[in-house]
Amino acid sequence: MRRTFLPIFAFVVGLVGLCIAAFVVLAPKQEVGTSSVGGPFTLTNQDGQRVTERDYAGRTHLVFFGFTHCPDVCPTTLQQIGDVLQALGPKGRDTRALFIAVDPERDTPAALKTYLASFDPRIVGLTGSADEVNAAVKAYRAYVRKVPTKDGDYTMEHTALVYVMNGQNRFLNALNLARPPEAAAAELAKML
């Protein structure tokens, strides 16, 4: 009796070990971590309508922080975003780019509407109170600082990153605009 027990016992132990190994190897992997870039916001668009991040859920979209009195980085980046959206062709028809104004003192909805009239209509201007804008800046882990100028005016230092957010408002990647629009559009198309 003992001779038959030992092989059966070894077989059962081996089978249990094999099942455990198969589970460890074949079990779905948990996400190691997700980016904490992005989050809830409530702002006002250039048409005076209150919007939240939920209004842009369901589709990939871009987010860029800037201000209308920016002398070069913001208008250049907005033009590049527009060029990328154009290069997407029909695939980018529903893609939006959110231009979150970091200068709520000057960037009212009316100022944004006038400013953005020079760019692709898929670029949506967003502003709000200082607290609302600061909450959006914090959610996206962006940097903003008001800097006085010698003439008594001020300018705004800010993050110049173009965030690519998925339909669940999660950060996918930064869009590299330092290349032809067609190349950036090809990269973005993979994320749509």
Side-chain angles (χ1 to χ4, degrees):
M1 177 109 174
R2 205 166 212 186
R3 289 185 180 170
T4 58
F5 177 74
L6 192 56
I8 292 172
F9 179 75
F11 175 77
V12 170
V13 170
L15 186 60
V16 169
L18 183 62
C19 289
I20 291 171
F23 178 78
V24 169
V25 171
L26 300 175
K29 303 284 187 238
Q30 294 290 331
E31 276 190 49
V32 173
T34 57
S35 173
S36 61
V37 173
F41 63 78
T42 301
L43 296 167
T44 303
N45 70 18
Q46 75 264 22
D47 295 321
Q49 300 167 325
R50 297 293 281 170
V51 297
T52 72
E53 77 288 348
R54 293 182 302 277
D55 292 302
Y56 302 99
R59 60 182 171 221
T60 300
H61 55 281
L62 307 176
V63 176
F64 175 65
F65 291 88
F67 64 113
T68 62
H69 287 73
C70 181
D72 48 20
V73 173
C74 296
T76 300
T77 302
L78 291 172
Q79 183 60 50
Q80 290 170 319
I81 289 170
D83 293 344
V84 169
L85 294 174
Q86 288 295 322
L88 280 171
K91 191 170 187 174
R93 181 181 56 237
D94 295 326
T95 304
R96 297 290 173 266
L98 309 182
F99 176 62
I100 300 179
V102 297
D103 184 8
E105 290 178 45
R106 296 185 287 203
D107 291 342
T108 64
L112 284 172
K113 188 170 190 127
T114 300
Y115 182 73
L116 291 174
S118 300
F119 301 101
D120 190 288
R122 291 171 283 189
I123 300 173
V124 178
L126 301 177
T127 190
S129 69
D131 288 341
E132 291 168 336
V133 170
N134 288 336
V137 167
K138 184 176 179 181
Y140 282 83
R141 297 181 179 254
Y143 166 79
V144 175
R145 187 170 78 103
K146 186 176 182 178
V147 179
T149 58
K150 291 179 183 179
D151 62 2
D153 200 5
Y154 67 92
T155 189
M156 301 296 290
E157 289 180 356
H158 62 89
T159 300
L161 186 71
V162 178
Y163 301 82
V164 181
M165 307 301 288
N166 72 12
Q168 291 76 43
N169 287 309
R170 291 192 183 111
F171 178 71
L172 293 175
N173 207 344
L175 186 62
N176 178 1
L177 296 174
R179 57 194 165 156
E182 296 76 21
E187 176 191 344
L188 182 57
K190 293 175 188 173
M191 295 182 260
L192 295 180

